[in-house]
Amino acid sequence: MSLANLNVWVTALDDPCKISSRTWYINIYNCDGSILRWCDREYAVIPAPCGHRSIRVPPGCYRINAVWSFRIGDGFYYVNHFTDSAVVQACCDKHQCVTLFNPSAHRCGRIFLAAVQDAVQQEAIPNDAAQLAEDGIEQVLKHIPRPARPFELGHLDEIEKRVRAAEEKGGDKDDTGVFPFDD
């Protein structure tokens, strides 16, 4: 049978160049958002000791993420329980490497604040509810250490400014000559 082999790796906290040393649990989703089920097996909460697991799957397009334990261990962990997701095209008889980034809770808090502010601009939530959420998240973020590496937060504001500037000048086309596309 022509299965695909996924090598799933989870990064160390706030470090995309290192692999985690803890056990993670891998989840593989179909494109419709459901957990992959095949041959009487559910592809959810698959242990990945030391941040790695090789998993054979039928060919397809999948979304993959990982989660670690929800139990509180010794010390403090200022992190999320979930990694970022990745999408992979698993092809017959091929090996695909997938690396899942382990973001800090601080980054997710900042991204959530941006989402709340956007929801206010879209009039999806009232200002008073947004203000309560923003105040609460800001208070929480004061107590969570900032990521050790600045890339996680360092470019959020810069990217937002660049996107807004690109949209204002008609950023739906490439006029820089730097990124040629085939038509």
Side-chain angles (χ1 to χ4, degrees), residues 166-181:
E167 288 174 342
E168 286 174 11
K169 69 176 206 176
D172 59 344
K173 61 183 186 302
D174 180 24
D175 58 359
T176 63
V178 177
F179 303 103
F181 295 100

Side-chain angles (χ1 to χ4, degrees), residues 105-182:
H106 203 99
R107 184 190 86 176
C108 289
R110 287 279 313 275
I111 290 172
F112 182 73
L113 283 174
V116 168
Q117 293 162 358
D118 287 348
V120 168
Q121 289 179 358
Q122 296 170 38
E123 298 178 358
I125 59 174
N127 284 332
D128 57 341
Q131 192 60 55
L132 286 171
E134 289 176 12
D135 291 346
I137 295 297
E138 289 290 351
Q139 286 299 312
V140 169
L141 290 179
K142 287 179 184 178
H143 299 281
I144 297 175
R146 292 179 63 85
R149 292 181 174 31
F151 79 89
E152 247 199 287
L153 299 176
H155 300 289
L156 294 177
D157 294 334
E158 177 186 343
I159 295 298
E160 180 182 351
K161 287 177 190 173
R162 287 182 180 207
V163 168
R164 290 184 189 281
E167 288 174 342
E168 286 174 11
K169 69 176 206 176
D172 59 344
K173 61 183 186 302
D174 180 24
D175 58 359
T176 63
V178 177
F179 303 103
F181 295 100
D182 295 331

Side-chain angles (χ1 to χ4, degrees), residues 1-97:
M1 184 177 283
S2 296
L3 295 174
N5 190 52
L6 302 178
N7 276 289
V8 182
W9 300 88
V10 180
T11 68
L13 174 62
D14 190 28
D15 193 341
C17 297
K18 290 184 180 172
I19 301 302
S20 177
S21 61
R22 70 177 306 127
T23 296
W24 286 83
Y25 300 94
I26 307 296
N27 304 295
I28 302 176
Y29 301 87
N30 292 303
C31 289
D32 67 3
S34 64
I35 291 288
L36 172 64
R37 286 180 178 81
W38 180 71
C39 201
D40 295 327
R41 180 172 183 200
E42 187 174 77
Y43 287 72
V45 192
I46 302 166
C50 297
H52 175 259
R53 184 67 183 249
S54 180
I55 306 166
R56 293 175 60 86
V57 297
C61 185
Y62 303 109
R63 182 178 68 89
I64 301 172
N65 73 0
V67 62
W68 70 1
S69 173
F70 289 95
R71 289 181 290 145
I72 301 296
D74 296 334
F76 293 96
Y77 299 106
Y78 296 103
V79 298
N80 293 320
H81 290 281
F82 288 92
T83 65
D84 286 347
S85 290
V87 175
V88 63
Q89 184 66 44
C91 300
C92 292
D93 292 327
K94 299 288 183 186
H95 291 268
Q96 298 292 336
C97 285

